Amino acid sequence: MSSRAVGLGVAALLLAVPAVAQEVTIPTRSPRTGAVIFRGGGYKPRIDTEKALNGATPYKDTFGDASLLLIEAEIQRFFYQGIGTAGLGLGVGYGEKYADAKLDDGSAAADKAALKVLPIQLNAFYKFDYAAFRWGIPLVPYAKLGLVYSPWWMTKGSETELVEGDKASGGKWGWAGTAGVSFLLDVLEPRFARDFDSDLGVNHSYLFAEYTHADVNNFGGKGLNLSSRRWMFGLALDY
Amino acid sequence: MRLPFIGLLLFASTAVAQVGPTVQFATAATGSTNLTITVPKSECGNARRFTWTRTGNICGGSLFIYATTNACGTEPTATDLKLETLTATSATTGTVNFSVAELLAARGTSADGGPAATCDTQQTEISFNLCASARQLGGLYGTDCQTAYANVGAPAYVMKFDPVKPKAPTIAKVIVRDSALSVQVDGAETDSTVVVEAAMVASATTDAGTDDAGTDDAGTDDAGTDDAGTDLDAGTDLDAGTDGGGLGLVGALALEGTTGPVTRVTKASGEGNVVVTGLTNGVTYRLQATIIDAAGNVSDGSSQVDATPVKSNGLFDAYKDAGGEESGGCAATGGGIAGGAVLAALGIWLSSRRKVS
């Protein structure tokens, strides 16, 4: 092979590299219409604050100071995207807590007592993500206000408790306000974030922490008080 | 070339026409995949029914349907139970009925068979094959009746007599629960069923067993003896004890010193504790466990153990005791279902909206 032929081959290769580079598509953002959120945290219902209990603490006596582990999933739909983002969200959670039932003398019984809740929440939210997208500040504060309905039931052994003819199950209405801040993960791996968008349609990913003030007691009605003040942590994915 | 071919064709067609006999068995006594019918001692005298259908030609004598402890494929011996002897003119279908008792009796009828075993004297497992044997066609052209017998029956059903009852189990532990007792039974063999029976221990003012229990002064006793008037039910366990069905063999007879109905709970072995529920707190119950093996044999009862369920308090008990006003129930749940349905509809609406670019 002559040196002239080798030279032509190298030249052709060099010409081909820019051509290949020109084949790479310029990343584009997919439409952003909503979000999916997964969160978890401790949930300690304010059962012992019910006035009728006159200071008695049945929750603390049964479970001590421990909280329920509450996990939630939420889907959001964006209706406004301008200076920040606003929309509606619908979330469903589940939490449970087990402890030994007590004998009359206060000692532990063989049966397990449990409290289980299934909070459902419809909320309106606003998050200030303008600074994150416009100026690259990766923190997104947000707030939510919503309506809560929380089915609950208490079991002893394998059955729902029945005391004095009252079955230990029902549901409570209430409201909840939440404030939190999200950390935009895209800033850590921008290229990965773009791939995530182009491959799966996930525009942005966040880790967040939020504080919820929930009054779930049938808006001040009598009976079980499932209100709480809690911190939750989780992952949010805009799509 | 043409002539040998024609001759071969003629011989072949003759051979095809001469088909040896076959017998197809069927029974409802077992499933289509498990061909072994396990018979407990209690059912030793119960006959099992098989239908048979034969096809093909019987040559040189008879086709025998019989049951034997030996392999199929021979002419039945004197120790086998001969069920049918078929000739070429016999029916092509029929039924045979036989019990383990008949099979055992047949084994002892020959000179070398020894004394005939009975359902009571047979102490070990023994299996009998259901067979059909006949002479087959053979020879150079496939038309000669062979002298030797061959097995022509299918499928190979086996009737297995299992007279050995399981060893008596032990009650290793009783966990006292609210209105229930959780019983740990040890000693159950694989594929067996654990049975736990519970009955109230008779108090000093009540008679044990089935006599005068109905006349107890239930009104002066606690809740546990309020049911004393139903001791007639317990009395029927006497009958259960005498039947051969394998169930109810313990009951009031075994649970001595008890009164009231016997609660019986069964559970497959290896699936954890047997939990007897629906008991009255504060009342002492006498427990006994038995094992029923795969054949249906029932073990002797375990040693009896007494235990008393005790009330325990869950969160709702504590809440109500403290004066909590929650009544729970369907009303709240019903409202929740309606509310939940609305929220679910909204959720579906939210998620089903088309993306806006």
Side-chain angles (χ1 to χ4, degrees), chain A residues 31 33 47 50 52-53 56 58-59 62-63 75 77 79 88-90 101-104 109-111 113 115 120-122 149 152 154 156-158 161 163-164 166-173 201 222-224 239, chain B residues 175-179 277 310-330 332-340 343-357:
Chain A
T33 56
I47 291 173
E50 183 181 332
L53 296 176
Y59 179 90
T62 306
F63 298 116
I75 184 168
R77 176 67 64 173
F79 292 109
L88 291 178
L90 178 67
K102 305 291 185 192
L103 299 175
D104 286 340
D111 291 304
L115 168 63
I120 303 166
Q121 181 181 146
L122 177 67
Y149 179 73
W152 61 273
M154 298 175 189
K156 184 172 60 180
S158 57
E161 283 192 75
V163 179
E164 299 166 3
D166 293 334
K167 194 171 184 181
S169 65
K172 287 290 180 183
W173 288 96
K222 67 178 185 179
L224 202 65
Y239 62 88
Chain B
I175 299 172
V176 174
R177 293 176 51 183
D178 192 337
S179 304
T277 58
V310 293
K311 183 181 186 310
S312 61
N313 298 309
L315 175 57
F316 201 53
D317 288 293
Y319 170 84
K320 295 292 277 188
D321 287 347
E325 294 180 324
E326 179 63 49
S327 57
C330 295
T333 306
I337 291 171
L343 294 179
L346 278 167
I348 293 168
W349 175 68
L350 283 175
S351 60
S352 63
R353 276 175 59 92
R354 293 180 60 191
K355 281 190 171 186
V356 180
S357 58

Side-chain angles (χ1 to χ4, degrees), chain B residues 41 43-45 100-102 104 117-123 161 163:
Chain B
K41 190 169 188 173
E43 298 177 19
C44 179
V100 170
E102 294 173 87
L104 293 172
T118 66
C119 295
D120 291 329
T121 60
Q122 180 67 35
Q123 297 296 322
F161 179 54

Side-chain angles (χ1 to χ4, degrees), chain A residues 10 27 69 84 113 121 130 132 149 199 235 237:
Chain A
V10 171
L69 174 61
Q121 181 181 146
Y130 182 83
Y149 179 73
D199 293 345
L235 173 71
L237 304 171

Side-chain angles (χ1 to χ4, degrees), chain B residues 68-350:
Chain B
T68 179
T69 55
N70 301 315
C72 298
T74 63
E75 191 172 359
T77 66
T79 58
D80 298 334
L81 179 63
K82 199 180 291 183
L83 302 166
E84 291 282 5
T85 303
L86 306 174
T87 64
T89 58
S90 299
T92 56
T93 62
T95 60
V96 290
N97 297 280
F98 58 97
S99 66
V100 170
E102 294 173 87
L103 294 166
L104 293 172
R107 289 193 76 228
T109 55
S110 68
D112 58 353
T118 66
C119 295
D120 291 329
T121 60
Q122 180 67 35
Q123 297 296 322
T124 57
E125 284 187 8
I126 186 169
S127 295
F128 299 88
N129 301 308
L130 178 62
C131 302
S133 293
R135 291 178 176 173
Q136 289 288 52
L137 295 171
L140 180 61
Y141 307 114
T143 56
D144 297 338
C145 200
Q146 304 294 294
T147 55
Y149 277 77
N151 178 27
V152 296
Y157 283 111
V158 175
M159 191 179 284
K160 178 182 171 185
F161 179 54
D162 179 4
V164 184
K165 64 183 179 184
K167 291 180 180 176
T170 56
I171 295 178
K173 188 177 182 181
V174 178
I175 299 172
V176 174
R177 293 176 51 183
D178 192 337
S179 304
L181 295 169
S182 178
V183 185
Q184 179 186 331
V185 179
D186 288 351
E189 59 189 46
T190 308
D191 295 331
S192 63
T193 301
V194 179
V195 181
V196 170
E197 295 194 335
M200 286 185 288
V201 173
S203 66
T205 58
T206 59
D207 292 328
T210 59
D211 292 333
D212 304 322
T215 63
D216 287 342
D217 186 6
T220 62
D221 233 325
D222 60 16
T225 56
D226 286 345
D227 294 330
T230 62
D231 274 352
L232 284 174
D233 299 334
T236 60
D237 284 334
L238 285 167
D239 301 331
T242 59
D243 74 22
L247 297 177
L249 284 174
V250 281
L253 280 177
L255 294 171
E256 293 177 359
T258 64
T259 184
V262 176
T263 301
R264 179 189 178 92
V265 180
T266 63
K267 197 169 192 178
S269 63
E271 292 189 356
N273 287 10
V274 179
V275 181
V276 184
T277 58
L279 305 179
T280 304
N281 290 328
V283 173
T284 300
Y285 289 83
R286 185 153 296 163
L287 303 163
Q288 188 172 49
T290 53
I291 302 295
I292 302 175
D293 67 14
N297 296 299
V298 182
S299 74
D300 292 332
S302 67
S303 297
Q304 297 178 350
V305 174
D306 291 353
T308 306
V310 293
K311 183 181 186 310
S312 61
N313 298 309
L315 175 57
F316 201 53
D317 288 293
Y319 170 84
K320 295 292 277 188
D321 287 347
E325 294 180 324
E326 179 63 49
S327 57
C330 295
T333 306
I337 291 171
V342 171
L343 294 179
L346 278 167
I348 293 168
W349 175 68
L350 283 175

Side-chain angles (χ1 to χ4, degrees), chain A residues 24-164:
Chain A
V24 176
T25 55
I26 297 170
T28 55
R29 292 287 184 190
S30 65
R32 179 171 161 268
T33 56
V36 177
I37 299 170
F38 304 97
R39 69 171 69 84
Y43 164 66
K44 187 175 177 182
R46 298 163 65 89
I47 291 173
D48 293 347
T49 64
E50 183 181 332
K51 287 182 180 176
L53 296 176
N54 291 319
T57 56
Y59 179 90
K60 185 176 183 180
D61 294 345
T62 306
F63 298 116
D65 288 323
S67 301
L68 285 74
L69 174 61
L70 180 68
I71 55 170
E72 288 184 330
E74 180 177 342
I75 184 168
Q76 292 182 337
R77 176 67 64 173
F78 302 157
F79 292 109
Y80 168 77
Q81 295 183 63
I83 303 175
T85 302
L88 291 178
L90 178 67
V92 179
Y94 176 75
E96 65 178 23
K97 184 71 183 172
Y98 283 89
D100 290 331
K102 305 291 185 192
L103 299 175
D104 286 340
D105 63 4
S107 59
D111 291 304
K112 290 288 183 185
L115 168 63
K116 302 175 183 181
V117 294
L118 188 80
I120 303 166
Q121 181 181 146
L122 177 67
N123 61 58
F125 67 89
Y126 172 80
K127 54 183 181 178
F128 183 69
D129 49 19
Y130 182 83
F133 300 151
R134 190 78 172 182
W135 302 314
I137 300 172
L139 296 177
V140 178
Y142 63 90
K144 291 190 272 191
L145 186 63
L147 184 66
V148 178
Y149 179 73
S150 186
W152 61 273
W153 62 104
M154 298 175 189
T155 61
K156 184 172 60 180
S158 57
E159 297 182 352
T160 303
E161 283 192 75
L162 186 66
V163 179
E164 299 166 3

Side-chain angles (χ1 to χ4, degrees), chain A residues 141-144 177-181 209-213 230-231:
Chain A
Y142 63 90
K144 291 190 272 191
T178 298
V181 60
E210 63 184 31
Y211 181 78
T212 295
H213 175 115
R230 62 181 188 266
W231 282 95

